[in-house]
Amino acid sequence: CVHPRMKSFAIITLALAGASAFAPQASNQKTFVSLQSSVDDKSEVREYFNTEGFSRWNKIYSESDEVNSVQLDIRTGHDQTIQKILNWVQADGDIDGKSVCDCGCGVGSLAIPLAQMGAAISASDISDSMANEAARRAKDMGIKNAKFYTSDLESVTGRYNTVTCVDVAIHYPTEKMSEMVGHLCSLAEDRVIISFAPKTWYYVFLKKIGELFPGPSKTTRAYLHEEEVVRKALSKAGFEVAREEMTGTNFYFSRLLEAKKV
């Protein structure tokens, strides 16, 4: 007999932090295969979130009633992560007039409320559909201090007071994580806020269970990341973790770190 919560967490691997579900990645690939995999990951993510994935996740990241119980739980988890960031910003009380770069903005779940708080927003997403939807939502709300455009994370340039990257690392292979964190830090003058699915023995175990039940909607890979690796990458770039949170529901889990420049 399996405890109900164990069953729930096993299914989480089908809905990790913003992707529909994922395929395992071999650990003994040769270098050229690994590099090709990184390219394939990006192409898969772009294609997925421009097509069927956009429709699915646009509903999840909205107030639509056209969601099932699993999708509703994911919405709840994602909303909790966003609210924790907004709570930090509100507690600081100094976001008005500051520049914020939101990498992997999705439909604007974080960028839009930050713009409403007075921040100057530059938000990007690898998916045209996602970036366009975020821009549409912002326009409908009368927001004029936010720019949304299409770009992969590595191509984002500029300097900003705050750089955010929420539930995007799930799509980055382990060998690319440190490089990705380093790039985010290179854009930030004051702080970086990043979330990722933590790699613990328990979550690795549940992910492997999920991989035993493939389905037609599984179109992108998912990667868990060791927190120590993320912290070391932040430290190497000259940033120190100042605040941290963990969000965990039945079908969503995300580790959240705020790192400030030292």
Side-chain angles (χ1 to χ4, degrees), residues 105-117:
C105 65
V107 296
S109 301
L110 176 61
I112 289 176
L114 287 178
Q116 291 175 317
M117 296 169 69

Side-chain angles (χ1 to χ4, degrees), residues 230-243:
V230 178
R231 285 177 176 266
K232 283 184 176 180
L234 290 167
S235 179
K236 182 178 180 180
F239 286 75
E240 183 177 291
V241 174
R243 289 181 285 204

Side-chain angles (χ1 to χ4, degrees), residues 29-36:
Q29 294 173 311
K30 295 183 179 180
T31 302
F32 76 93
V33 176
S34 179
L35 291 174
Q36 182 62 48

Side-chain angles (χ1 to χ4, degrees), residues 5 11 25-26 47 110 133 157 160 185 204 214 239 245 257:
R5 188 151 185 85
I11 303 173
Q25 188 75 350
E47 175 64 19
L110 176 61
E133 173 63 14
T157 60
Y160 309 88
C185 290
V204 169
F239 286 75
E245 284 280 1
L257 301 178

Side-chain angles (χ1 to χ4, degrees), residues 12-243:
I12 197 176
T13 60
L14 308 182
L16 275 169
S20 59
F22 318 91
Q25 188 75 350
S27 60
N28 60 347
Q29 294 173 311
K30 295 183 179 180
T31 302
F32 76 93
V33 176
S34 179
L35 291 174
Q36 182 62 48
S37 175
S38 297
V39 174
D40 290 344
D41 283 329
K42 186 183 297 185
S43 298
E44 287 176 356
V45 171
R46 180 185 293 109
E47 175 64 19
Y48 174 70
F49 284 104
N50 270 329
T51 53
E52 62 181 287
F54 169 71
S55 177
R56 179 178 295 119
W57 291 97
N58 188 34
K59 290 178 181 178
I60 293 175
Y61 297 149
S62 71
E63 296 181 357
S64 172
D65 293 328
E66 298 179 23
V67 291
N68 58 40
S69 59
V70 174
Q71 294 169 330
L72 182 60
D73 184 87
I74 296 169
R75 176 191 292 172
T76 299
H78 181 73
D79 286 349
Q80 288 177 8
T81 294
I82 295 299
Q83 190 57 53
K84 287 170 182 177
I85 296 174
L86 296 177
N87 289 345
W88 286 346
V89 172
Q90 290 171 341
D92 294 339
D94 61 354
I95 197 66
D96 190 16
K98 296 290 183 66
S99 59
V100 176
C101 175
D102 188 20
C103 297
C105 65
V107 296
S109 301
L110 176 61
I112 289 176
L114 287 178
Q116 291 175 317
M117 296 169 69
I121 303 295
S122 177
S124 62
D125 198 277
I126 195 172
S127 162
D128 284 318
S129 298
M130 287 289 186
N132 290 339
E133 173 63 14
R136 185 197 66 77
R137 292 188 185 191
K139 181 179 180 180
D140 288 350
M141 299 174 72
I143 293 173
K144 298 181 179 180
N145 53 319
K147 178 184 73 171
F148 297 91
Y149 64 100
T150 304
S151 175
D152 58 37
L153 190 152
E154 295 89 344
S155 300
V156 175
T157 60
R159 294 285 290 173
Y160 309 88
N161 296 119
T162 296
V163 174
T164 59
C165 187
V166 179
D167 294 349
V168 174
I170 192 77
H171 304 298
Y172 274 78
T174 303
E175 66 272 13
K176 299 286 289 184
M177 186 61 175
S178 293
E179 181 182 340
M180 186 266 272
V181 172
H183 180 63
L184 292 174
C185 290
S186 74
L187 304 172
E189 294 183 351
D190 302 323
R191 66 177 169 182
V192 170
I193 297 176
I194 183 173
S195 73
F196 56 94
K199 185 177 183 179
T200 66
W201 69 267
Y202 185 55
Y203 291 149
V204 169
F205 169 70
L206 295 176
K207 183 172 183 289
K208 289 185 179 299
I209 292 178
E211 289 167 356
L212 298 176
F213 302 94
S217 65
K218 296 173 177 58
T219 56
T220 61
R221 299 175 179 87
Y223 299 95
L224 308 181
H225 299 287
E226 295 180 5
E227 184 170 337
E228 182 180 359
V229 172
V230 178
R231 285 177 176 266
K232 283 184 176 180
L234 290 167
S235 179
K236 182 178 180 180
F239 286 75
E240 183 177 291
V241 174
R243 289 181 285 204

